[in-house]
Structures are given as structure tokens and as C-alpha cells.
């Protein structure tokens, strides 16, 4: 038995015999896989679902500004990203099943509070609580799966788990479109509460208990990492309204840099660090983290504007807009499920390379979209983008997980998941910033005269334009799509530049013998002839 397999066995409930008992119950594995995948769909579905609600929320009695709307969307993702690594570490040290159940309870409570929110402040607080719950859920789903599966089945489990994020986008968009077609925005959150509670009960029934570790938690590292993330995203989100050179924005961005530096120094000296920065010496872990983050920057930038594009520019109802994004999610899900076959045939590095380049290319195609673009052509652009991201992400995830021992699978899951959520938050912040900044510079004067609120809110600008005339209404929609297209081009350039680093790091051989042994499973679905060399 290998060192890593031994660590995996010890991590399964019931002690040393837990893995053997679990291995004898394949039906138990299937039930666990089903429930864990449903949890992943739930937390990712909420990210895409809120984007579908942006038009209704913008026009609601809460009257959020464009900056407040960004915070409503991003509060969930920011807290999600900030707590993923601490939540994974808590699962490793205090038990993954219990940590996951706490997360589902918090998730349900946050959604209930969101539906009852009387103002933007309470809604932001509720979204933060929901994000905290999601953070305790996501890394522990993968850790529980990896704890009961044999080594040869782990790559398939990781690919399936990754594909669930795409399926979460499908279900999140479709269900939110259906709900918002007939109910106010509060109905979206109320729909989720019973689903989260049902998954909590199922988790209690099918999940194994895991052994705990004696090492203490690292609250200092958790606070430093969370503060650095918040500072970075605060600066990006507030910049359009306050200005990039304003004191609050500059202080926030500078504080983020300083806090990240302090976090690294603190963790290097801590006897039981939350995340030892030296793990990033492993090139495939580095490549996976950066590649996944940039992929999700692109994905969630698209999610943020897609629902608005289909409803504002194409005139789709919420239900049709929810269905209209299905090609994007279906393309990602289908390709993710088959990515291991591609890596087995061609090698993982070519698959990652083509996937990242295709992601940038898909964004460039999407930047061609105008109000007059036929929906079928827009679907072609979506599919190019979706197939590419679905191709790249699974081997990048496997690169992260295989770089760490099984006893630290919670940390690996946390890094894997936090880079996704950090990318999600940055993507929404960046595209929202570009949208807000450029929109104000391209609105007709007759619309600008209606008040300052129209400068940074497409919903407010369209409402004002309806009072002026059809020509101005068309100009506002064109200003929106032009800003959207420019945002896609900026993000495409960032993905293209960073993909060079990702591919360079990903091609390097693992630094340790243990990582090398695990990396041989990266390109195969099960024991089989050796895959093509990278």
C-alpha cells in the first residue's frame, strides 16, 4: 500500500478498517457521489442564478446602485473565496462530514435571510452568510469523495466533480429563469432553502465520518488571507464610482498587496500553517491555480453580462434568458466529462493549451455580439467558449489535487475551489467595472440629463430612455453591448497572457517522487496503457 493510499484509508470513518468497508459498498459510493455532486450543483447554481436576477433586482424597491449591485452579486463569491481554504483545513482537522453539514445549514439560513431582506445592507449580509455556508460545503464534498475511492478512480471523480460546476450553471440559470418568470426576486432565494435542508439530511445519512487531525487551526492566517481578498476586490468594485486614484480605492489595493505579503511571511513561520506557501513550489499546483482562476474570471464575467444581454439587447423574458444560456453550460459539462479521454489520447499539456487558447478565442468571438447578432450565431460563440473551458479545467484541477498528499486533500480542495471563487469574484468585478465606466461615456445626453443614477446602471438608463424615445432606447442598448464587448476583449487578453505561464509551469515534471507517482494518473481514466507524453 502506498503512503498516500494509507493516508486516504486512515481518513475514512471507522478508523483503519473504514476504507476496506467502504470499498465493499459500491452502492454507498454511488449514493455519496450523487449527494456530493448535488451539493456542488447547489453552490455553483446560486452563483449563476443571481446573475439572472440582476434586471429584477436593479428595478426593485431596494433601488441598488450599479456598485451596490456588484456587491450583491459578489458578496457571495468574495466570502466563498475567502473562506474556502480555511473551511477545507477545518474539514481536515475537525471532520469533513460535520463541516459540510454546518455549511449546508448556513447556506439555507443565508438564503432565508436574503428573501426577507428589507434593504441592501441586510441583503449584502445575507449573501455573505450564504457564501460562508458555500465555503464550508464545497471543499469537503471533494475531500469526502477522495477519502473513499481507490487511487485509480480518483481522476474520474475529480473530472466528474469539476463537470458539476458546469451543470450547476445549467440548473442555476434554468431554475432561476423559471422562478423569476413568475415570482419576484425573493422567490429565487426561497426556492433554494428546502433544497439545502434536504441535502443536509441526505449528507447526514450517506456520508462517512472522517478521522480528525491533532494539529490546531490557524485563525491568524485565515484572517489575513480573507482581509487581503476583500481589499483587492473592494478596490476593483469601488473604482468606477470613486475613481482609481481615489484614496479609498488606492488604500484598499495597497492594503491587499501588503496583507498578501504579511500572510506569506506569517505562514512560513507558523508551525501549523493554514496554507504553507511552499506548496506553490510544485509547478503543476501553481499552473492549476492560475489556470483555473483565469478560466473562472472568464466564465463568470460572461455569466454576469449574459443574462443582461439576452434580456436587454435581445428582448428575452427571464425564462427564455435562463434557457438561452443552456448551450454554454451544456458545452462545458459535456467536455468536462470527456476531458480525461482527451488527455489520455493527446496528453494533458496539449489539452490544457488548446483549452486556454480556445477560452481566449471564445471571448474574442463573443466581443463581436451586437443587438442585431442572431441568437444562433451567439450560440456558436458560446459553444466555442464552453468547449474550451470544459477542456482545460479538469486536468488543471487534477494537477492541484495530485500535488498534495491525501491527508491534506481538504487543503487541495480548498486551493482548487478558492481559485475558482476568487476568479468568479474578480471576473464579475472586472466586467462590472468596465461596463459601468464605459456605459456612462456612451449614453445620449437626453438620457444623462435624467440624473446621476443612469450613468452606471443599465436598468436605470433604459428606464430613463423609455421616457425620452425609441431612438435613445436603442442607443442605450448599443452602449451596453459596446461596453460588454470591450470587457470581453480585456479579459481575453488577460487569459491569453497568463496562459503562457500556465503552460510553462504545467509542462514541468513534479518536484517530488510522490507527486510524480500521482501525476501518472493525471492523464488516465483508469488503469490503461500510458497516455501520450506531454
Amino acid at each position: 500500500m502506498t503512503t498516500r493510499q494509507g493516508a486516504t484509508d486512515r481518513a475514512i470513518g471507522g478508523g483503519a478498517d473504514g476504507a476496506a468497508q467502504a470499498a465493499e459498498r459500491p452502492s454507498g459510493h454511488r449514493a455519496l457521489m450523487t449527494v456530493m455532486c448535488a451539493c456542488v450543483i447547489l453552490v455553483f447554481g446560486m452563483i449563476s442564478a443571481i446573475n439572472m436576477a440582476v434586471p429584477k433586482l436593479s428595478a426593485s424597491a431596494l433601488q441598488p446602485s450599479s456598485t451596490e449591485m456588484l456587491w450583491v452579486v459578489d458578496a457571495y463569491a468574495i466570502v466563498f473565496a475567502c473562506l474556502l481554504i480555511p473551511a477545507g483545513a477545518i474539514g481536515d482537522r475537525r471532520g469533513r462530514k460535520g463541516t459540510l453539514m454546518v455549511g449546508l445549514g448556513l447556506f439555507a439560513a443565508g438564503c432565508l435571510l436574503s428573501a426577507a431582506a428589507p434593504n441592501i445592507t441586510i441583503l449584502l449580509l445575507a449573501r455573505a452568510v450564504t457564501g460562508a455556508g458555500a465555503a464550508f460545503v464545497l471543499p469537503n464534498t471533494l475531500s469526502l469523495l477522495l477519502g473513499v475511492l481507490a487511487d485509480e478512480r480518483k481522476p474520474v471523480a475529480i473530472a466528474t466533480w469539476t463537470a458539476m460546476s458546469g451543470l450547476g450553471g445549467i440548473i442555476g440559470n434554468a431554475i432561476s429563469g423559471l422562478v423569476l418568470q413568475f415570482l419576484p426576486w425573493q422567490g429565487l432565494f426561497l426556492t433554494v432553502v428546502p433544497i439545502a435542508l434536504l441535502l443536509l439530511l441526505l449528507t447526514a445519512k450517506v456520508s462517512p465520518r472522517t478521522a480528525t487531525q491533532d494539529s490546531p487551526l490557524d485563525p491568524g492566517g485565515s484572517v489575513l488571507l480573507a482581509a487581503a481578498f476583500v481589499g483587492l476586490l473592494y478596490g476593483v468594485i469601488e473604482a468606477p464610482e470613486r475613481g482609481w486614484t481615489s484614496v479609498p480605492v488606492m488604500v484598499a489595493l495597497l492594503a491587499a498587496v501588503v496583507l498578501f505579503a504579511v500572510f506569506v511571511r506569517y505562514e512560513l513561520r507558523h508551525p501549523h500553517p493554514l496554507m504553507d506557501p511552499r506548496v506553490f513550489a510544485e509547478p503543476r499546483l501553481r499552473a492549476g491555480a492560475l489556470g483555473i482562476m483565469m478560466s473562472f474570471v472568464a466564465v463568470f464575467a460572461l455569466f454576469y453580462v449574459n443574462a443582461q444581454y439576452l434580456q436587454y439587447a435581445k428582448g428575452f423574458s427571464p425564462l427564455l434568458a435562463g434557457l438561452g444560456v443552456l448551450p454554454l453550460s451544456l458545452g462545458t459539462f459535456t467536455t468536462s466529462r470527456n476531458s480525461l479521454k482527451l488527455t489520455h489520447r493527446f496528453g494533458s499539456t496539449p489539452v490544457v493549451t488548446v483549452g486556454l487558447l480556445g477560452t481566449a478565442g471564445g471571448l474574442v468571438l463573443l466581443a463581436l455580439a451586437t443587438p442585431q447578432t442572431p441568437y444562433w450565431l451567439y450560440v456558436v460563440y458560446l459553444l466555442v467558449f464552453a468547449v474550451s473551458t470544459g477542456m482545460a479545467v479538469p486536468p488543471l484541477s487534477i494537477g492541484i489535487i495530485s500535488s498534495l498528499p491525501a491527508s491534506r486533500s481538504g487543503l487541495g480542495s480548498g486551493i482548487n475551489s478558492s481559485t475558482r471563487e476568487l476568479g468568479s469574484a474578480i471576473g464579475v468585478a472586472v466586467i462590472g467595472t468596465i461596463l459601468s465606466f464605459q456605459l456612462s461615456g456612451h449614453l445620449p445626453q437626453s438620457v444623462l440629463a435624467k440624473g446621476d443614477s443612469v450613468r452606471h446602471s443599465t436598468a436605470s438608463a433604459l428606464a430613463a430612455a423609455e421616457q425620452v424615445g425609441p431612438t435613445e432606447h436603442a442607443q442605450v442598448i448599443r452602449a451596453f453591448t459596446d461596453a460588454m464587448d470591450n470587457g470581453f476583449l480585456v479579459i481575453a487578453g488577460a487569459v491569453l497572457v497568463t496562459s503562457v505561464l500556465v503552460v510553462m509551469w504545467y509542462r514541468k515534471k513534479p518536484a517530488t517522487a510522490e507527486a510524480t507517482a500521482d501525476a501518472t494518473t493525471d492523464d488516465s481514466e483508469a488503469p490503461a496503457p500510458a497516455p501520450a507524453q506531454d
Side-chain angles (χ1 to χ4, degrees), residues 261-533:
V262 172
F263 169 76
V264 171
R265 184 177 178 83
Y266 176 88
E267 293 295 279
L268 287 172
R269 296 185 172 191
H270 198 281
H272 302 285
L274 170 72
M275 182 183 69
D276 189 340
R278 283 170 289 226
V279 300
F280 287 95
E282 172 54 52
R284 282 208 168 182
L285 189 148
R286 237 180 11 249
L290 180 59
I292 288 173
M293 184 181 75
M294 293 309 301
S295 295
F296 276 74
V297 166
V299 167
F300 281 88
L302 175 57
F303 273 149
Y304 183 73
V305 297
N306 178 75
Q308 297 176 68
Y309 172 77
L310 291 177
Q311 291 181 70
Y312 294 150
K314 304 304 294 179
F316 284 21
S317 67
L319 177 58
L320 285 178
L323 296 175
V325 76
L326 288 181
L328 170 66
S329 301
L330 286 170
T332 303
F333 174 71
T334 302
T335 313
S336 294
R337 288 281 295 172
N338 291 283
S339 63
L340 288 178
K341 296 178 182 177
L342 293 173
T343 58
H344 178 69
R345 182 178 178 86
F346 300 107
S348 56
T349 299
V351 170
V352 168
T353 303
V354 171
L356 291 174
L357 293 178
T359 298
L363 288 171
V364 172
L365 290 175
L366 287 162
L368 302 175
T370 69
Q372 291 74 41
T373 300
Y375 175 68
W376 68 265
L377 184 57
Y378 185 69
V379 167
V380 172
Y381 300 160
L382 288 177
L383 286 174
V384 172
F385 177 86
V387 168
S388 300
T389 55
M391 186 184 303
V393 170
L396 290 170
S397 293
I398 291 171
I400 293 176
I401 301 299
S402 66
S403 299
L404 294 170
S407 60
R408 304 184 73 190
S409 63
L411 173 61
S413 300
I415 294 174
N416 182 41
S417 301
S418 64
T419 52
R420 292 165 181 262
E421 297 317 308
L422 182 59
S424 302
I426 291 174
V428 169
V430 169
I431 198 75
T433 295
I434 295 171
L435 203 64
S436 177
F437 179 77
Q438 295 222 329
L439 184 70
S440 62
H442 293 84
L443 293 175
Q445 289 299 319
S446 56
V447 173
L448 289 171
K450 294 294 183 179
D452 289 340
S453 63
V454 305
R455 292 182 176 274
H456 304 294
S457 170
T458 305
S460 298
L462 286 171
E466 288 177 355
Q467 302 173 16
V468 181
T471 301
E472 286 76 11
H473 189 274
Q475 288 176 330
V476 170
I477 291 177
R478 184 69 200 205
F480 165 77
T481 56
D482 286 347
M484 176 187 78
D485 295 343
N486 289 333
F488 285 151
L489 289 175
V490 169
I491 294 174
V495 171
L496 191 60
V497 170
T498 54
S499 66
V500 176
L501 276 177
V502 172
V503 174
M504 286 174 56
W505 290 335
Y506 197 82
R507 293 181 62 186
K508 293 183 179 179
K509 299 299 182 185
T512 66
E514 183 178 12
T516 301
D518 288 333
T520 61
T521 67
D522 288 0
D523 296 345
S524 60
E525 185 171 335
Q533 294 300 311

Side-chain angles (χ1 to χ4, degrees), residues 39 42-44 46 75-77 79-81 83-84 87-88 98-111 125-141 196 200:
C39 290
L42 176 69
V43 298
F44 275 105
M46 180 52 70
Y76 176 89
V79 176
F80 199 170
L83 295 182
L84 272 165
T99 304
L100 174 56
M101 292 175 64
V102 168
L104 288 167
L106 278 175
F107 193 94
C111 287
L125 174 63
R127 292 283 291 158
V129 171
T130 313
F136 281 89
V137 169
L138 191 61
N140 291 292
T141 58
L200 192 156

